[in-house]
Amino acid sequence: MYERDVLAGNWRRPLKGKIPQVPAELDLVVEDAGGGFCGAVVACDKEAVTLEDRFGRRRVFPLDPAAFLLEGEVVTLVRPAPRGPGTPGRSASGSVAVQGLRARVARESRIYVEGVHDAALVEKIWGHDLRVEGVVVEYLEGVDRLPEIVSEFAPGPGRRLGVLVDHLVGGSKESRIAARVSSPHVLVVGHPFVDVWQAVKPSVLGIPAWPSVPRGLPWKEGVIAALGWTLEPSDAWRRILGSVRTYADLEPELLGPVEELIDFVTAPGEPPDEESA
């Protein structure tokens, strides 16, 4: 049943100090300290936990003391406490999941992101939260026309616009374009990554780091070649997105800006419209 001999006690190095106990909640990503298998928790009982890796392979491990690594630290997984009636679950963003959610008529306020990959990642992690708040995410297909697009949107009280920009760093083309947008009803924030792919932690994909791509080469194609993947960019993105489960799989440089945008477009004084019939 198990991936190793559970009676062989010589696979772990001696440890000092108290080892933390961590509930084996669904979607928690850990690594088997003995064999290196890394995956998300998909099931747990009183004796064992089942992990699923990014390729969909599942393995079962006993709940031995100090048998797993969580973000590089040795932990002991324990069976989660059963939820009582009415105990709320968590969405992929870590917020309290709203049960029996009804669709709302969308707010006039919007969040714009640069491309379809950005929109897909935001939807996967924050989709539940956005539906609760009645916020729609649209994509720009680049920021070159951002000032004109903002003008066409006609922001104002009750009609706020939040914009997420890739590679928003000092001296970049993106930062110069963003600086041309000035309105109390518009918030432009960004992350430092060349592409939103880099906002996914490399460990989620089983790679040590995102490759560096020389200037002048298409970034996505350069990454795919450096990683030795025989995939088209669209297929590579599906592989990347399929490996993301929760906010913990993303870099904080993306998490903070997205949360800031959601707060901005749902601030007091920006109520959603009435629930749809």
Side-chain angles (χ1 to χ4, degrees), residues 1-4 48-51 58-62:
M1 176 180 178
Y2 300 130
E3 290 299 312
R4 60 174 182 267
V49 62
T50 303
L51 303 182
R58 294 190 176 191
R59 296 184 183 178
V60 181
F61 300 92

Side-chain angles (χ1 to χ4, degrees), residues 67-263:
F68 299 92
L69 301 176
L70 176 61
E71 297 183 351
E73 299 295 327
V74 178
V75 299
T76 297
L77 290 187
V78 296
R79 188 180 186 184
R83 288 178 178 166
T87 301
R90 294 283 174 178
S91 71
S93 72
S95 64
V96 175
V98 177
Q99 304 300 319
L101 175 66
R102 293 180 61 191
R104 290 180 181 271
V105 174
R107 295 174 183 260
E108 290 191 49
S109 298
R110 293 285 189 272
I111 292 176
Y112 284 179
V113 298
E114 279 208 55
V116 65
H117 292 180
D118 306 65
L121 189 58
V122 169
E123 162 61 27
K124 184 156 190 180
I125 300 302
W126 290 275
H128 175 84
D129 309 59
L130 295 168
R131 284 185 287 277
V132 168
E133 298 291 350
V135 176
V136 172
V137 174
E138 301 180 12
Y139 62 93
L140 297 169
E141 298 183 352
V143 295
D144 291 344
R145 293 186 55 250
L146 181 60
E148 293 89 338
I149 291 170
V150 170
S151 178
E152 292 169 4
F153 180 82
R159 186 175 171 80
R160 293 186 174 188
L161 178 61
V163 183
L164 180 71
V165 177
D166 295 346
H167 198 229
L168 191 61
V169 296
S172 67
K173 176 191 76 172
E174 292 81 1
S175 66
R176 292 191 293 272
I177 294 173
R180 294 165 54 195
V181 176
S182 177
S183 168
H185 309 296
V186 179
L187 176 64
V188 180
V189 297
H191 57 73
F193 308 115
V194 174
D195 190 280
V196 77
W197 289 17
Q198 289 180 299
V200 177
K201 292 180 178 178
S203 58
V204 173
L205 298 166
I207 60 176
W210 286 101
S212 296
V213 178
R215 291 177 64 89
L217 293 180
W219 190 85
K220 290 184 175 69
E221 288 78 359
V223 165
I224 291 169
L227 293 176
W229 293 352
T230 55
L231 298 171
E232 293 297 320
S234 58
D235 296 322
W237 171 242
R238 281 192 286 271
R239 175 174 175 176
I240 294 166
L241 186 63
S243 300
V244 174
R245 296 175 181 275
T246 73
Y247 71 97
D249 295 332
L250 303 182
E251 299 288 0
E253 291 88 347
L254 177 67
L255 297 175
V258 174
E259 296 284 355
E260 187 178 359
L261 290 178
I262 294 173
D263 289 344

Side-chain angles (χ1 to χ4, degrees), residues 24-75:
E25 301 282 0
L26 292 179
D27 293 328
L28 178 72
V29 177
V30 295
E31 179 181 344
D32 165 40
F37 183 86
C38 183
V41 174
V42 294
C44 185
D45 59 28
K46 64 181 180 180
E47 296 181 348
V49 62
T50 303
L51 303 182
E52 180 181 293
D53 72 5
R54 65 186 185 279
F55 301 113
R57 297 176 299 202
R58 294 190 176 191
R59 296 184 183 178
V60 181
F61 300 92
L63 293 174
D64 291 341
F68 299 92
L69 301 176
L70 176 61
E71 297 183 351
E73 299 295 327
V74 178
V75 299

